[in-house]
Amino acid sequence: MMDVVSTSTSPFACKVCNQAAHGNHFGVISCRACAAFFRRSASSKWSKMSCRGGSCDQETYSCKPCRLQKCRDAGMDTTKFQYNREIIPQVGQFTLPPPSIESYVGRPEFLLFCDTDAPNAKVLIDVRYLLEEAGRILNYGPESPVFAENQLKKFTQGFKFIRLNMENLQKVEYADQKELMEMWEYYFLLVTKWLMYFDEFQKLNRHFQMTLLQSIWHVFQKLHKYVGTMAYHKMYPYAKKSNVIIKNVFMDMENVTIDTEWMSDYPKEHVMRYLMVQTCHDFDILAALQELEPTEEEYTFLFAHLCFQYAGKRYQGDILRVTDSFLEILSNDLHHYYVEEQNRPRYFLRLAKLMKINNAIQRSNFFQKAIWESRPKMELGRVFNVLKIEFSHPEMFEDSGFY
């Protein structure tokens, strides 16, 4: 399980200089000194210079260009600036003005109406265990031998990680911190095991593998909720529409009690409204899935298409080229599946219905509203400190609804 510790006792070391870290600065766990140096130097003349003396050992001494390069190699990026981490006065030729009230309360002036007595302590969620376990799975390979005529068929052998046993579902009436973290752990490792059945993914270097894995696990999770919920309502047609399948449990979203005190100092109703920006309820999509009844191969293609398409849009560049090549391979294999195995040369209508579901999901709360359009709201939530959660690897939770 994941450990939760306070940032005041954080055991993390600065990714740049290995000194005690202060927090997440510019997307990297780092100390105040390195964060301040990067803030001053990222756009300075040092960014265009090479090593000044040619003798930096990178351990005991680094010149400014080398130190700046170390910051960038660690992952620091000016686009990941987080406001109000530190208040550093800008010293110029004039005398600095007296400290403002903002300096004392640690908030911009327009936020002073907030409750300044609320605790400022952060809950740091350490997910290093998950990354280490994912690395072990990547080293070990698929759980069972994979033999098939093409990539789609091989990938479909991992469908066992998508399929749910509806007869052994447990009902959850109270969801707390433990339940949420178990869900994160379940889906992150599930997606890792699923990807190991795709040869093209196994050919990638470890950096690309971890980048894809950290970006798509929560996309897989949301689609999995759709598929599980559809299967549940198909088996139990008279069940309440508010029953939703998550992981291997079901919740009545109208009656479940969710503990938010550990993640926020705001009232529960405010926190839930904030989190529900990325809610996943659209029964038109569930009805379309139930009407089409996709095969395992079609489900596999649907999951892969949605996940890889999202990763390509998020990262662009080399990742986009990789995911586009993945989708081209899987599309050709799907064509072969329809024509040769299903004897359906005129499969356009069925494929159109499958892609209609895909597009509907992207236009629904799930993608268009929940991910792309909710980013400004999530950023505003960070400014208002709605969630007092920080992650050891924040890139893993981007667009997840918690970061």
Side-chain angles (χ1 to χ4, degrees), residues 54-118:
S55 59
C56 296
D57 61 14
Q58 305 299 322
E59 294 293 337
T60 59
Y61 171 75
S62 294
C63 65
K64 289 185 178 180
C66 287
R67 186 180 180 188
L68 181 57
Q69 187 59 46
K70 286 179 68 176
C71 292
R72 287 175 172 161
D73 291 343
M76 283 191 175
D77 189 335
T78 54
T79 62
K80 299 177 181 178
F81 180 76
Q82 293 174 284
Y83 298 92
N84 268 350
R85 281 308 181 103
E86 297 176 83
I87 299 176
I88 301 177
Q90 298 297 318
V91 181
Q93 58 180 336
F94 303 105
T95 303
L96 289 173
S100 67
I101 190 171
E102 300 175 49
S103 303
Y104 292 105
V105 300
R107 300 168 184 241
E109 187 174 359
F110 70 93
L111 293 184
L112 295 183
F113 62 85
C114 294
D115 180 10
T116 55
D117 293 328

Side-chain angles (χ1 to χ4, degrees), residues 111 206 267 384:
L111 293 184
R206 181 55 55 86
F384 277 88

Side-chain angles (χ1 to χ4, degrees), residues 130-138 187-196 201 204-220 307-308 310-311 314-315 319 323 326 395-397:
L130 285 182
L131 297 177
E132 292 171 359
E133 183 64 16
R136 186 193 65 78
I137 295 172
L138 293 176
Y187 278 111
F188 190 75
L189 298 182
L190 183 77
V191 172
T192 307
K193 295 175 182 178
W194 175 65
L195 287 172
M196 294 311 296
F201 176 81
L204 298 177
N205 62 47
R206 181 55 55 86
H207 171 72
F208 272 42
Q209 287 180 332
M210 294 303 295
T211 298
L212 282 175
L213 176 58
Q214 291 182 67
S215 68
I216 71 174
W217 71 275
H218 59 84
V219 176
F220 180 103
C307 291
F308 294 148
Y310 164 76
R314 173 173 164 179
Y315 288 106
I319 293 294
T323 55
F326 285 179
E395 66 278 3
M396 178 174 157
F397 291 87

Side-chain angles (χ1 to χ4, degrees), residues 12-13 17 44-45 65 104 111 184 216 225 227 242 274 289 325 345:
F12 295 115
C17 67
S44 70
K45 63 180 180 179
Y104 292 105
L111 293 184
W184 290 341
I216 71 174
K225 293 178 187 177
V227 174
S242 57
Y274 174 74
L289 283 170
S325 68

Side-chain angles (χ1 to χ4, degrees), residues 141-142 144-157 193-205 209 308 322 325-326 329-330 333:
S144 57
V146 181
F147 301 103
E149 57 192 85
N150 57 44
Q151 293 294 300
L152 178 61
K153 299 294 286 186
K154 289 183 178 181
F155 212 175
T156 302
Q157 292 185 26
K193 295 175 182 178
W194 175 65
L195 287 172
M196 294 311 296
Y197 284 78
F198 187 37
D199 285 353
E200 296 304 309
F201 176 81
Q202 293 193 56
K203 294 177 183 178
L204 298 177
N205 62 47
Q209 287 180 332
F308 294 148
V322 167
S325 68
F326 285 179
I329 292 171
L330 293 174
D333 290 347

